[in-house]
Amino acid sequence: DAGVIQSPRHEVTEMGQEVTLRCKPISGHDYLFWYRQTMMRGLELLIYFNNNVPIDDSGMPEDRFSAKMPNASFSTLKIQPSEPRDSAVYFCASNQGYEQFFGPGTRLTVL
Amino acid sequence: GQNIDQPTEMTATEGAIVQINCTYQTSGFNGLFWYQQHAGEAPTFLSYNVLDGLEEKGRFSSFLSRSKGYSYLLLKELQMKDSASYLCAVREWGGYQKVTFGTGTKLQVIP
């Protein structure tokens, strides 16, 4: 298995632009998680899905953030409009059971 | 909600033993995890404790005391490649897979 796949790996954009991050979970995993990691705040859970249904989005910072999971093999995290404080590494993870498998992350820089 | 505390940084010598502590406060404990994260990489699963006691896996062991809200990760025969951040994470009851991560302990192994 290729593991959790994320794209792009790096994204540099200007403030105000829309950013879309993509994730393909491991086949057969029924939970999918989006995390954000910064030096100051560590690894924060933004939202997670079970069988493509959003379960808890209480970690989503504000209305500028949205996430979708149209099918079992694909999810997106969108930021519109982006701001410099959104600069971070965004991880997607999936699991079946208790162990979470993380993707390589997307390093987002908003100028 | 949860509160997870672990030391920010530690330094240890190659070949030695190091213990990384984690304390937590939670309204409904349902498991504690340790993840390893090398710089610039994704977290990877190390261990999972749900009952009191010691779980051993090769050079790594993890201990849990639910009554004290305390866990530690023990690394033996330290190697240079063990230099990484170690993240303690706690899951709460609720029927879901939501896991909250601590800010991590950055371990530096020196010759």
Side-chain angles (χ1 to χ4, degrees):
Chain A
D1 198 319
V4 177
I5 299 172
Q6 290 186 247
S7 64
R9 294 293 306 276
H10 301 273
E11 177 82 28
V12 180
T13 190
E14 293 187 344
M15 184 174 68
Q17 296 299 305
E18 177 180 295
V19 175
T20 299
L21 310 181
R22 297 173 176 79
C23 175
K24 175 178 168 52
I26 293 173
S27 177
H29 284 191
D30 49 6
Y31 283 87
L32 183 140
F33 305 80
W34 282 102
Y35 291 91
R36 177 173 67 177
Q37 188 173 40
T38 61
M39 290 292 293
M40 292 297 296
R41 301 174 67 91
L43 195 62
E44 301 174 282
L45 178 66
L46 300 177
I47 184 171
Y48 76 98
F49 297 82
N50 178 217
N51 292 323
N52 314 338
V53 176
I55 301 300
D56 186 341
D57 65 355
S58 59
M60 296 287 260
E62 49 200 90
D63 292 345
R64 297 185 297 107
F65 285 68
S66 62
K68 294 182 180 180
M69 192 166 185
N71 57 63
S73 59
F74 183 66
S75 177
T76 60
L77 177 68
K78 185 174 294 186
I79 308 173
Q80 167 62 19
S82 58
E83 297 182 2
R85 59 186 167 136
D86 302 330
S87 296
V89 179
Y90 291 81
F91 288 104
C92 175
S94 68
N95 78 331
Q96 185 181 45
Y98 56 77
E99 179 179 348
Q100 290 192 18
F101 294 83
F102 284 77
T106 295
R107 182 173 294 277
L108 174 65
T109 303
V110 183
L111 304 175
Chain B
Q2 298 184 43
N3 188 30
I4 301 172
D5 290 314
Q6 46 181 135
T8 304
E9 294 181 341
M10 297 182 71
T11 300
T13 305
E14 189 178 12
I17 300 173
V18 69
Q19 178 175 312
I20 302 174
N21 296 324
C22 171
T23 58
Y24 63 89
Q25 295 175 314
T26 179
S27 54
F29 177 82
N30 188 25
L32 186 140
F33 303 80
W34 285 96
Y35 280 78
Q36 180 190 58
Q37 186 177 23
H38 285 100
E41 298 183 9
T44 55
F45 172 82
L46 286 178
S47 66
Y48 172 62
N49 295 69
V50 65
L51 299 176
D52 291 350
L54 188 68
E55 295 279 344
E56 297 186 78
K57 189 187 297 185
R59 295 189 297 114
F60 293 7
S61 303
S62 57
F63 172 84
L64 175 67
S65 170
R66 290 172 295 171
S67 62
K68 296 182 179 178
Y70 169 69
S71 173
Y72 67 73
L73 181 68
L74 193 70
L75 290 73
K76 303 175 184 177
E77 301 171 12
L78 279 173
Q79 301 176 7
M80 299 300 290
K81 67 178 181 179
D82 297 329
S83 293
S85 289
Y86 292 86
L87 309 177
C88 173
V90 174
R91 185 171 67 183
E92 286 188 327
W93 279 105
Y96 301 126
Q97 295 280 352
K98 183 175 180 178
V99 173
T100 301
F101 284 81
T103 52
T105 299
K106 187 175 180 180
L107 173 67
Q108 182 181 15
V109 180
I110 58 176

